[in-house]
Amino acid sequence: MIFNFQQAIRALILLAFTILIFHLHFTGDITKFINPKYVGLSQSASIIFLLLFFIQITRIWTNRENHHDRCHHNHDDHNCEHHHDHGNTPFTVKKLFSYLIIISPLLSGFLLPAKILDAAIAEKKGGMAILTNQKQMADAGLNNGSSENNNKTGTEERYVDDNTEENEIDENLLIHENADPNDLEQNTITKDEYEQLTQELLQNSNIVMDEAMFATYYDEISMNIDKYKGKNIELTGFVYKEAGLKQEQLVISRYLISHCVADASIIGFLTELPEASSIKEDTWIKAKGILDVTTYNGTVLPYIKITNWEKVSEPKEPYLYPLNIKVL
Amino acid sequence: MNRIIRGNIIDITGILIIALALFLVSLSSGVKVSSDFPPSLLNLNTIFLSILIEALPFVLIGVLIAGMIQIFVTEEHIQRWIPKNKIMAVIMSCVVGALFPACECGIVPIVRRLVSKGVPIYAAMGFMLTGPLINPIVIASTYMAFGNDIKIAGLRMGLGFIIAIIVAMIVSMLFKGNQFKASLHLSHSHEQVKDETFMNRFWSMLTHSIDEFFDMAKYLIMGAFLAAFVQTYMPAKSLLEAGSGPVSSLLVMMGLAYVLSLCSEADAFIGASFSNLFPTPSILGFLIFGPMIDLKNTLMMLSVFRFKFVFGVLSIVASIIFITLMLLKGFI
């Protein structure tokens, strides 16, 4: 019997992958990496790894006779050279290097904590440039006069302010009832339900941006800014700032994960609140305010005038996941 | 005593390895790195791992299919299936690729195995280019990402299909043979396997899959790392500012698609977030180029094919997409 050291290493690596993925699922950290929709897929990866591990352990000990397994049988031709490594060839520095590469995600996965993407990444992803260009769709729908509107600080704004106090009372008018938890878990709604949701959103004077609906409402509001102007809005997000924002401005943003963290896209509202300069980036805040319209670098954007806000701790599920609309 | 150990040696090693792994895991939980670790490195690590976690199921499915092809498909099958006519072969391979719901991370091992079984290199490329690009999940996600509008999704699939055919044609003219790296010899025929029982064949399919996984994993991991590195440290902003004209914006979007190495099922949402900063042809460049070839994929291809071939294909794909979109930009 011969002990194949490399085969043993491979078995260990396969098992380590199984455990790493299982560990992430077990601790719930997996949602810090991928959209929960794909959790089943990565669980099956873990199971396949486990199966492969069980197969791999049978290769650790080989009898001297069939050491070169099947190659031994047809030696008359020289076709035997496999074009991939069976793990039986001598251990070289090059191989050590490849094994080191393979174990690097295992090490970093076990040793380093999963991090929620922060504002630094938002900046790398394009920050306001991305936010403003998402809104250009809405731009087309707006008349040219709209950009002037938000510069008029006089009567109009006061009117909006009055509106707030009135509306703050009827907070019960939330649109929560639409959100059937079962549907949201699957994150799938039908097209009719979607239309209905946006209809109700239009009629409501209070908009609550809860986790499940954040992205959908965000799109809807961005596309039809004028229709939502003056409504109350309540949202939670982390603070993002960049050069070019005014002292009293900040962006309340969230990441939208369609598949995994690597494809996170940033969405967020430009907001105005007097204490903005004192709030650090990456602080999670819960804010209430009134929707307005502004222009930023020539683009018309929804703009929230914050009426009250508080610091909150990072939510359990900091990421948003897109709502799937059944097309058929 | 000795005999007992010999009889159960596999069980014993298995248990020992499990024990060792659990020991290492419990050890690691004790030495969690403290919070003063640079946050940008943690970001990098999180993105890196997320790309891997997302890709691993597809890679595993890919290597299992590759293992299946290795054991159950013979050269004669391939010879019978692939049309002799080059043009027919290319079209067929693109259609098969379009019907085959693959992901770009899982497709390289399959392509490699097909080529080693005698599939002509141009047909394999046609398959590789349409596989990840055209499949139901990609169509659905593109449709959704672009505000439930079928136009972009349709253009993505239609143009992608035509581009794949053109590229495969050019490959058929420029490259002969299997283009495997010199260090990899074209394989052994598994003729002798025919006599073996189904169980044995199934077993060797699985062991082949394991070897395939270890071949691919290091390239996948390097690719994932590079893509994560780019995401963490490269400011997209400067890129966005660079891409103002139609030409430069197309180049920027194709460059982004290449370095970000997103999964074809998810890239539509990223593409959509650029959709009014850049004109439609540039967005299509992003959506078509990314699934065909990206950084992660190039590295995986380099593990199999010659350097010259990989970069040949890369530049053909890039230039055909570029030229097609430039020509059509008035119509889109």
Side-chain angles (χ1 to χ4, degrees):
Chain A
M1 297 288 264
I2 299 167
F3 178 75
N4 292 311
F5 178 67
Q6 280 185 66
Q7 301 288 19
I9 294 281
R10 287 180 171 207
L12 186 62
I13 291 174
L14 288 172
L15 184 65
F17 272 111
T18 312
I19 296 175
L20 177 63
I21 299 174
F22 178 78
H23 179 75
L24 290 176
H25 282 282
F26 187 73
T27 56
D29 274 354
I30 194 79
T31 55
K32 293 178 182 171
F33 294 101
I34 58 169
N35 185 335
K37 208 172 102 191
Y38 297 99
V39 155
L41 203 59
S42 94
Q43 277 167 343
S44 51
S46 173
I47 292 166
I48 296 175
F49 272 126
L50 189 63
L51 277 176
L52 294 182
F53 163 71
F54 283 125
I55 289 154
Q56 181 64 20
I57 42 177
T58 64
R59 303 167 86 194
I60 294 172
W61 295 92
T62 42
N63 291 322
R64 207 172 286 275
E65 306 89 69
N66 62 1
H67 185 197
H68 284 290
D69 40 57
R70 56 184 74 269
C71 268
H72 213 77
H73 308 302
N74 55 344
H75 245 314
D76 24 357
D77 58 350
H78 296 285
N79 281 345
C80 244
E81 215 159 338
H82 284 58
H83 52 296
H84 58 181
D85 177 16
H86 271 302
N88 295 331
T89 42
F91 199 77
T92 58
V93 178
K94 205 178 153 196
K95 277 200 174 170
L96 177 70
F97 191 65
S98 16
Y99 281 118
L100 281 180
I101 290 175
I102 294 177
I103 58 172
S104 65
L106 293 169
L107 289 179
S108 76
F110 280 120
L111 292 178
L112 300 178
K115 186 165 187 314
I116 300 301
L117 296 185
D118 58 17
I121 292 288
E123 205 213 324
K124 293 287 181 292
K125 283 184 182 287
M128 280 308 286
I130 293 291
L131 291 180
T132 50
N133 100 69
Q134 280 169 349
K135 245 113 296 156
Q136 284 183 0
M137 278 185 223
D139 206 9
L142 284 173
N143 52 27
N144 296 333
S146 60
S147 54
E148 289 156 28
N149 282 348
N150 77 86
N151 293 336
K152 276 190 233 156
T153 35
T155 48
E156 200 177 347
E157 212 163 282
R158 202 171 313 129
Y159 160 74
V160 175
D161 273 355
D162 290 346
N163 227 4
T164 345
E165 273 150 49
E166 259 177 310
N167 282 332
E168 244 165 42
I169 308 161
D170 52 27
E171 246 175 37
N172 298 339
L173 258 174
L174 311 184
I175 18 187
H176 264 306
E177 68 256 36
N178 305 320
D180 177 3
N182 288 327
D183 277 350
L184 293 174
E185 233 166 53
Q186 292 171 338
N187 248 7
T188 307
I189 58 171
T190 63
K191 203 160 184 178
D192 289 347
E193 282 174 308
Y194 176 77
E195 313 254 282
Q196 198 194 340
L197 279 178
T198 50
Q199 273 307 313
E200 285 175 44
L201 189 65
L202 264 177
Q203 282 150 18
N204 260 298
S205 56
N206 279 310
I207 300 170
V208 176
M209 307 285 280
D210 60 358
E211 254 88 69
M213 298 309 295
F214 197 111
T216 314
Y217 289 169
Y218 174 79
D219 281 345
E220 175 61 24
I221 293 169
S222 306
M223 305 252 261
N224 309 295
I225 308 178
D226 274 359
K227 289 190 197 159
Y228 292 95
K229 198 176 158 183
K231 285 186 192 287
N232 291 309
I233 185 165
E234 185 183 328
L235 75 166
T236 307
F238 66 90
V239 172
Y240 169 70
K241 295 180 193 174
E242 71 174 43
L245 292 184
K246 294 195 194 98
Q247 273 257 309
E248 69 281 3
Q249 286 180 330
L250 53 80
V251 183
I252 299 185
S253 30
R254 296 295 285 259
Y255 284 107
L256 181 69
I257 310 279
S258 59
H259 207 144
C260 74
V261 169
D263 59 54
S265 54
I266 178 175
I267 59 179
F269 287 99
L270 185 60
T271 64
E272 179 189 298
L273 77 165
E275 306 93 332
S277 55
S278 66
I279 308 175
K280 283 206 190 95
E281 268 200 331
D282 288 322
T283 316
W284 281 83
I285 61 173
K286 187 175 178 184
K288 279 182 198 159
I290 304 140
L291 270 168
D292 198 353
V293 186
T294 190
T295 45
Y296 184 86
N297 286 348
T299 317
V300 180
L301 287 186
Y303 189 59
I304 303 177
K305 294 214 162 81
I306 302 291
T307 47
N308 61 50
W309 64 278
E310 54 177 333
K311 275 185 200 177
V312 289
S313 53
E314 185 180 89
K316 243 183 169 172
E317 284 198 1
Y319 296 130
L320 307 171
Y321 309 100
L323 199 64
N324 297 324
I325 298 155
K326 273 188 228 148
V327 278
L328 296 174
Chain B
M1 180 63 191
N2 206 3
R3 195 181 296 162
I4 297 172
I5 290 182
R6 274 173 167 251
N8 299 305
I9 197 144
I10 288 172
D11 306 348
I12 293 167
T13 18
I15 291 165
L16 280 179
I17 287 179
I18 293 174
L20 178 62
L22 290 177
F23 172 71
L24 289 175
V25 170
S26 64
L27 207 65
S28 79
S29 57
V31 287
K32 276 267 187 243
V33 178
S34 64
S35 54
D36 50 87
F37 206 75
S40 68
L41 278 183
L42 290 182
N43 280 333
L44 172 69
N45 181 50
T46 307
I47 297 176
F48 166 56
L49 287 176
S50 87
I51 296 178
L52 273 186
I53 291 171
E54 182 201 31
L56 280 174
F58 296 103
V59 172
L60 287 173
I61 293 167
V63 298
L64 285 176
I65 293 175
M68 242 180 267
I69 295 172
Q70 168 69 11
I71 302 303
F72 294 104
V73 179
T74 64
E75 278 90 344
E76 293 95 81
H77 289 147
I78 300 279
Q79 242 131 57
R80 233 178 304 141
W81 292 336
I82 300 266
K84 291 281 167 295
N85 182 322
K86 265 189 188 177
I87 297 170
M88 284 307 293
V90 163
I91 293 174
M92 192 190 102
S93 70
C94 288
V95 172
V96 171
L99 297 174
F100 188 81
C103 184
E104 83 269 23
C105 356
I107 204 155
V108 177
I110 302 176
V111 164
R112 163 208 224 173
R113 194 53 63 199
L114 285 174
V115 174
S116 80
K117 283 287 176 186
V119 171
I121 188 77
Y122 47 86
M125 286 300 115
F127 175 77
M128 193 188 85
L129 297 178
T130 52
L133 178 64
I134 306 176
N135 72 49
I137 307 167
V138 178
I139 297 175
S141 74
T142 314
Y143 174 78
M144 238 144 49
F146 287 88
N148 295 346
D149 181 7
I150 198 72
K151 185 185 157 213
I152 298 280
L155 281 172
R156 183 183 193 185
M157 304 302 143
L159 285 179
F161 189 75
I162 295 164
I163 287 167
I165 288 182
I166 298 172
V167 171
M169 290 294 186
I170 297 176
V171 168
S172 79
M173 285 182 261
L174 294 183
F175 297 100
K176 303 273 177 294
N178 61 40
Q179 297 294 330
F180 281 142
K181 282 207 292 202
S183 54
L184 309 167
H185 288 276
L186 179 55
S187 84
H188 59 136
S189 46
H190 265 263
E191 301 297 342
Q192 77 280 12
V193 180
K194 275 185 184 159
D195 316 326
E196 291 182 26
T197 62
F198 177 81
M199 258 328 275
N200 278 346
R201 292 171 70 176
F202 189 68
W203 193 259
S204 55
M205 171 203 125
L206 291 173
T207 53
H208 263 105
S209 302
I210 295 174
D211 297 331
E212 197 96 49
F213 173 76
F214 277 92
D215 277 354
M216 283 295 150
K218 53 178 181 287
Y219 294 96
L220 171 74
I221 290 166
M222 283 193 282
F225 182 81
L226 282 176
F229 185 87
V230 167
Q231 282 214 13
T232 323
Y233 294 106
M234 182 196 72
K237 219 172 162 187
S238 49
L239 257 185
L240 298 183
E241 280 156 10
S244 48
V247 177
S248 55
S249 72
L250 178 54
L251 288 177
V252 162
M253 286 310 283
M254 284 172 64
L256 261 184
Y258 185 78
V259 293
L260 290 183
S261 300
L262 299 170
C263 220
S264 55
E265 276 102 57
D267 61 356
F269 291 92
I270 300 294
S273 72
F274 291 100
S275 61
N276 281 294
L277 195 63
F278 292 138
T280 311
S282 312
I283 304 299
L284 280 172
F286 179 86
L287 293 177
I288 296 173
F289 190 45
M292 285 186 170
I293 294 192
D294 58 28
L295 186 60
K296 186 170 66 180
N297 203 308
T298 310
L299 276 169
M300 288 171 87
M301 278 176 74
L302 280 174
S303 73
V304 186
F305 297 109
R306 284 184 204 137
F307 189 83
K308 246 174 91 181
F309 175 73
V310 175
F311 282 87
V313 172
L314 176 61
S315 33
I316 295 169
V317 172
S319 38
I320 295 298
I321 294 177
F322 184 79
I323 294 166
T324 315
L325 289 172
M326 276 294 140
L327 288 178
L328 293 177
K329 88 172 179 286
F331 306 99
I332 298 171

